Amino acid sequence: MKSELTALLATRREGYGMPRAFYNTDALYPEEVARIWQGGWLFAGFTIEIPKPGDYFTLNVDNTPVLVMRDDAGDVRAFHNVCRHRGTMLCRQESGHVRAIICPYHSWTYSRQGDLIACHGMQEELDKSKLGLKPIHTEVVAGLIYVSLSNSPPAFAPLRDEFGPAAKPQGFDRAKIAKIIDYEVPSNWKLVWENNRECFHCVRCHPQYFKANYDVYEEEFASDAVKKQMAASLARTQSKWAAQGIEITHTHGGLATFPDPDRNRWFAADRTMLAEGFDTESMDGKRVAPLMGDYADQDVGVLRMRSMPNFWVHASCDHAVAARLLPAGPRMTRVRGYWLVKEDAVEGKDYDLEKMLPFWHLTNEQDWDICKWQQKGVDSIGYEPGPLSTRKEYNVDAFIRWYLQEMRGGGVAAPQLRIA
Ligand code: FES
Ligand SMILES: [Fe+2]
């Protein structure tokens, strides 16, 4: 299998998309799960989802159930959501609260620290200290919870150093979740990322999104009128950003470069301006909620953060919209969309979901629809990878190169080699 995999990885022609086998083969998918999804760091959720000891949420990384819980000391921990007796999945709800975790099969009972505290009928014959829940590496930065299924995860400090300061003014760690929407995207997870990494499609497919952002205008190719507008937007916000101690990191049109496999950049945070007339990413550009976090002014542009292989967020002055990807087979990606607002904002008074949701819910659904149809085309024997635009799809190329690097074992993720 190893040589087959090496041979397959070599079939990608530089500057082109990837061949069909990358998007639908049952053989390649487990290798991706092992090397990428069980190798690196995954965004799991927000600390605000589990404010009190005993609060938990669950997620499935392909077939691996994960339990994320606030322990008695108030720390966030993650465990394999699997009983140490005969392996039953323990917590079956998406979220909840427990005093202790009691296995629904034979009642083995675990504390909120993951220790086995009772196993009636077997107490005498067991050393309970050896049968606690299996821990999963967990890190928290600025209210974001990351987990790694690897035994020896890559260093988290570089992400922490970048996301910590960048995310601080947004106040993710003290926000409120206004809405969660789960999407099932009948598409390979890589098609979802490739779609996310270019805005070539935005004018045609995202009539709302493209008006609010300068993503479609790569600077050197933008018209003088657009350049003028970008300069005006930058001037309007630049001085205010400086006054609020917010760093400007992406001051021109087009998407910021991400990922960057040549520099091991599997995460990135940057802040960019919104188009003229847009105070936030809403349908009419007007604010849809009170200012979030530390913001004292609405002209803060958009904070964008992403990490491979499963997280991105667009955070405006008044609300933030995040996405968490999880693979569920070669042709299925589960995406959770989160809408966050200021911690004390009250629905119906301070914000209205009917006004807040459409901008990103529509954009999301437009993208998932594209991915669905692309999967159908890519599945066909008639599919042949086409050339990528150097002007517009440089990040698709970067994503593919990052992916190939990870699959070859040369990137950030520490692969758990399963290949004979
Ligand atoms: S499988 Fe959990 S107690 Fe038996
Ligand atoms: Fe899109």
Side-chain angles (χ1 to χ4, degrees):
M1 180 64 204
K2 187 171 182 185
S3 59
E4 275 172 44
L5 179 67
T6 308
L8 176 62
L9 296 178
T11 60
R12 190 255 172 162
R13 180 177 169 192
E14 218 169 286
Y16 281 66
M18 289 193 280
R20 177 157 53 110
F22 285 88
Y23 299 107
N24 59 13
T25 35
D26 293 334
L28 180 63
Y29 176 75
E31 301 300 335
E32 295 180 344
V33 170
R35 288 161 181 259
I36 292 176
W37 293 90
Q38 296 175 1
W41 287 100
L42 307 177
F43 171 75
F46 292 93
T47 53
I48 50 172
E49 293 178 76
I50 45 173
K52 297 186 301 294
D55 291 348
Y56 74 85
F57 64 83
T58 58
L59 60 148
N60 294 309
V61 182
D62 184 50
N63 289 329
T64 300
V66 173
L67 172 65
V68 179
M69 175 173 290
R70 182 82 65 170
D71 72 12
D72 290 330
D75 293 326
V76 175
R77 294 181 186 233
F79 303 102
H80 284 280
N81 189 11
V82 173
C83 184
R84 294 297 307 276
H85 178 215
R86 279 169 54 200
T88 283
M89 191 168 140
L90 293 164
C91 297
R92 287 106 188 250
Q93 309 300 321
E94 287 198 340
S95 62
H97 177 87
V98 287
R99 288 167 63 92
I101 301 158
I102 303 170
C103 179
Y105 203 171
H106 315 94
S107 300
W108 279 32
T109 302
Y110 304 89
S111 73
R112 304 195 288 208
Q113 323 295 110
D115 301 324
L116 178 62
I117 49 177
C119 47
H120 300 297
M122 299 177 76
Q123 301 273 30
E124 290 75 32
E125 54 188 300
L126 293 181
D127 178 356
K128 292 207 287 291
S129 69
K130 293 198 167 70
L131 290 164
L133 295 181
K134 285 200 173 167
I136 288 171
H137 291 279
T138 311
E139 294 281 356
V140 172
V141 56
L144 314 180
I145 303 171
Y146 277 81
V147 298
S148 178
L149 297 170
S150 171
N151 293 329
S152 51
F156 190 77
L159 183 148
R160 178 188 298 288
D161 292 348
E162 181 155 335
F163 278 18
K168 191 182 164 293
Q170 194 72 37
F172 291 117
D173 54 348
R174 56 185 194 278
K176 170 186 171 183
I177 295 194
K179 184 74 178 173
I180 284 178
I181 299 181
D182 286 317
Y183 304 94
E184 288 207 337
V185 188
S187 165
N188 185 274
W189 66 274
K190 299 189 295 302
L191 292 180
V192 177
W193 264 115
E194 289 178 21
N195 168 266
N196 173 272
R197 289 293 76 217
E198 49 92 358
C199 218
F200 197 10
H201 67 277
C202 289
V203 175
R204 182 178 183 90
C205 303
H206 298 314
Q208 300 83 18
Y209 179 88
F210 100 93
K211 290 194 194 107
N213 290 281
Y214 290 123
D215 296 11
V216 296
Y217 302 111
E218 284 75 18
E219 198 167 30
E220 65 217 88
F221 306 108
S223 67
D224 286 346
V226 169
K227 277 185 186 161
K228 234 183 188 170
Q229 231 186 77
M230 281 199 265
S233 305
L234 189 59
R236 177 168 57 86
T237 45
Q238 209 160 23
S239 58
K240 293 183 177 178
W241 290 353
Q244 294 187 73
I246 294 170
E247 203 186 343
I248 308 156
T249 49
H250 185 61
T251 54
H252 50 85
L255 292 183
T257 305
F258 179 78
D260 187 346
D262 302 328
R263 296 193 299 144
N264 264 349
R265 295 274 294 162
W266 54 279
F267 58 88
D270 58 66
R271 185 179 294 275
T272 190
M273 65 271 191
L274 284 163
E276 284 299 276
F278 281 81
D279 302 325
T280 184
E281 288 187 335
S282 69
M283 297 299 277
D284 63 3
K286 300 282 166 270
R287 259 168 54 186
V288 290
L291 294 177
M292 276 184 82
D294 302 334
Y295 296 141
D297 190 285
Q298 65 186 17
D299 280 333
V300 297
V302 184
L303 167 68
R304 303 177 182 192
M305 309 198 307
R306 343 110 183 123
S307 62
M308 286 294 158
N310 85 323
F311 174 69
W312 66 75
V313 64
H314 271 228
S316 299
C317 62
D318 59 345
H319 73 296
V321 186
R324 180 192 74 184
L325 274 54
L326 291 171
R331 288 186 181 83
M332 178 61 75
T333 308
R334 295 192 206 285
V335 185
R336 170 161 283 196
Y338 306 79
W339 280 257
L340 275 66
V341 294
K342 189 172 190 272
E343 62 271 30
D344 55 4
V346 177
E347 187 182 346
K349 181 168 157 271
D350 299 316
Y351 66 93
D352 184 353
L353 288 178
E354 280 175 23
K355 280 198 171 153
M356 186 188 301
L357 295 184
F359 184 94
W360 268 107
H361 182 52
L362 285 170
T363 303
N364 282 343
E365 291 202 311
Q366 289 153 357
D367 278 331
W368 314 151
D369 193 58
I370 294 166
C371 293
K372 176 182 87 178
W373 292 107
Q374 190 184 7
Q375 181 73 52
K376 286 181 190 291
V378 167
D379 276 342
S380 162
I381 56 166
Y383 166 68
E384 183 182 333
L388 299 174
S389 162
T390 50
R391 280 170 53 170
K392 298 281 189 184
E393 294 170 310
Y394 47 92
N395 276 338
V396 179
D397 182 64
F399 168 77
I400 291 172
R401 289 188 297 107
W402 169 83
Y403 166 80
L404 293 172
Q405 183 169 290
E406 294 299 314
M407 290 300 285
R408 290 183 180 121
V412 169
Q416 296 182 335
L417 289 173
R418 299 246 170 108
I419 301 169

